[in-house]
Amino acid sequence: MPIEKITMPKLGESVTEGTISNWIVSVGDVVNKYDPLAEVMTDKVNAEIPSSFSGKVKELIAKEGQTLEVGEVICTIEVEGDNSQEEQPANEETEEKAAAPINTDTSQKARYSPAVLRLSQEAGIDLTLLTGTGAGGRITRKDVQKAIQEGVPQGKVDEKVPANGSNVPADPIPKKETSVHNVQTQAGDKEFPITGLRKAIASNMVKSKHEIPHAWTMIEVDVTKLVQYRNKVKDSFKKEEGYNLTFFAFFVKAVARALKEFPQINSTWAGDKIIQKKEINISIAVATEGALFVPVIKNADEKSIKGIAREITELANKARTGKLTVDEMQGGTFTVNNTGSFGSIQSMGIINHPQAAILQVESIVKRPVIKDNMIAISDMVNLCMSLDHRVLDGLVCGRFLQRVKEILENTSEETTPIY
């Protein structure tokens, strides 16, 4: 019967790979066209991969946690029904589901999957000392993980005969003490496996730091008028609109205005050329307990402060509930990060590849400043900018920040409408 291949789809602009975080189906399951097959993570979004066909799941080629490039085969589907009792390929999912309470068959004990081999080698576990719970006594990923957490059963040690043929029992295999990076663990330490999403974030950060020569600059801004304006209208705004008017919305709007005047900042490095983007799409960083998402406010220069505030609220809520779409995560041309929400007053952001710059908005704090040769108390904020030195130089970035400063310091009820 015809076998069709399901491949890793392209889940966004500049996305070249994805990580299988969870299989929704198992071998033998009957699926309809468009039914979800697996959950996949990229550095930009979490999504489900739908089936392109109706039929029976024939083989799960990709493993959970495995990263594949766009276009690589992740599974196969038998399009038409088949009544034959064809043996299904062995894999971790079918092994673990096929395990019986009492398993005396050990015909498969010496067959190890690549995932099991990799995990045991990283942990220093001798697979010959383990009792497999999979079909035919095969050792599964869960068996290795149990050995890592609890240690190899002591009763199994005497069964191993040293290579020299002597009767001296082999030393027991200790619990895992070091990782592949030789980081020692001590009593009481806790270890947490790296999730696919965290791996994707790490990969993108490493790529950005390795490929982009970062430079950094900072400017301080007196936002006393902005604070007074926002505090005056925030309660009525919340009552009328149903969501908060945050300071961050004013900063995003100011950046969008300045980008329109300094389009060089709104660019990306493309190897043999620099591409200056027409649209001003502001990426905003949204942190959850275990991940960082960067949804995008499209055409931010065309939106009012009210519209930007609404989008910030909606995108943040979607990120924290796992409902962001692919479209909402792609197309960003410049990133604004609200690091001040954590109390930070100075930071050096890593550029959101392949953009050319990122702006960190720090905490607004009251500080003594000199005005008209007198000491005054003002609301001050630091704006910290990381830039791709292949694309941008200090002169244009300095002028850009000066323009953002000018806009913010002149934000008031008379100059800046919210609606």
Side-chain angles (χ1 to χ4, degrees), residues 157-179:
V157 172
D158 291 336
E159 297 177 14
K160 183 178 180 181
V161 178
N164 59 13
S166 69
N167 293 324
V168 179
D171 292 331
I173 302 297
K175 288 184 68 174
K176 179 183 179 184
E177 294 185 354
T178 59
S179 72

Side-chain angles (χ1 to χ4, degrees), residues 174-195:
K175 288 184 68 174
K176 179 183 179 184
E177 294 185 354
T178 59
S179 72
V180 293
H181 295 291
N182 296 319
V183 179
Q184 301 221 350
T185 57
Q186 306 296 333
D189 292 351
K190 294 182 180 180
E191 294 186 12
F192 301 93
I194 304 298
T195 64

Side-chain angles (χ1 to χ4, degrees), residues 255-300:
V255 168
R257 286 180 59 187
L259 285 173
K260 202 169 185 66
E261 298 175 30
F262 293 87
Q264 307 97 309
I265 309 292
N266 203 47
S267 300
T268 187
W269 179 264
D272 59 346
K273 58 189 172 183
I274 294 173
I275 300 174
Q276 192 174 107
K277 298 291 188 177
K278 178 182 178 181
E279 295 183 344
I280 296 176
N281 300 332
I282 304 295
S283 302
I284 60 171
V286 179
T288 65
E289 285 298 326
L292 179 69
F293 298 93
V294 191
V296 179
I297 300 174
K298 305 288 179 63
N299 301 307

Side-chain angles (χ1 to χ4, degrees), residues 82-112:
D82 185 4
N83 296 323
S84 67
Q85 300 298 316
E86 182 179 358
E87 182 181 358
Q88 295 175 345
N91 58 66
E92 291 294 318
E93 297 292 334
T94 55
E95 289 167 359
E96 292 166 6
K97 291 183 178 180
I102 300 177
N103 185 356
T104 59
D105 178 13
T106 60
S107 60
Q108 302 296 314
K109 177 176 173 58
R111 293 186 60 190
Y112 308 126

